[in-house]
Amino acid sequence: MDAKAAKTARESLDLAFHLSNMLDTGLDRHTLSVLIALCDLGLNPEALAALVKDLRTETMSSSSSQT
């Protein structure tokens, strides 16, 4: 990847991360980067969003049952 492409990718991730924070998604920069990469590979963004939502729900319910 050349320097200009790397800069553009970094700026795009920064913008997506800023938007993610404004929407209070709770996604860290690395997770957001992985999700964007999966979308770039052709995975359905709506399906990924549903998966993240389900995983969060499952994680919250299992952590509340442990306390």
Side-chain angles (χ1 to χ4, degrees):
M1 181 181 297
D2 65 16
K4 185 176 180 180
K7 182 180 179 193
T8 301
R10 188 171 38 257
E11 289 173 351
S12 296
L13 180 58
D14 288 343
L15 182 60
F17 185 63
H18 180 69
L19 182 58
S20 173
N21 286 336
M22 288 175 56
L23 295 172
D24 196 25
T25 64
L27 296 173
D28 60 45
R29 186 178 299 269
H30 176 73
T31 302
L32 186 60
S33 175
V34 169
L35 292 171
I36 291 170
L38 290 171
C39 289
D40 286 345
L41 291 173
L43 272 72
N44 182 331
E46 291 178 6
L48 284 173
L51 177 63
V52 169
K53 188 175 179 179
D54 289 346
L55 288 172
R56 282 196 176 163
T57 302
E58 185 177 305
T59 302
M60 290 179 77
S61 66
S62 69
S63 66
S64 66
S65 67
Q66 290 179 355
T67 57

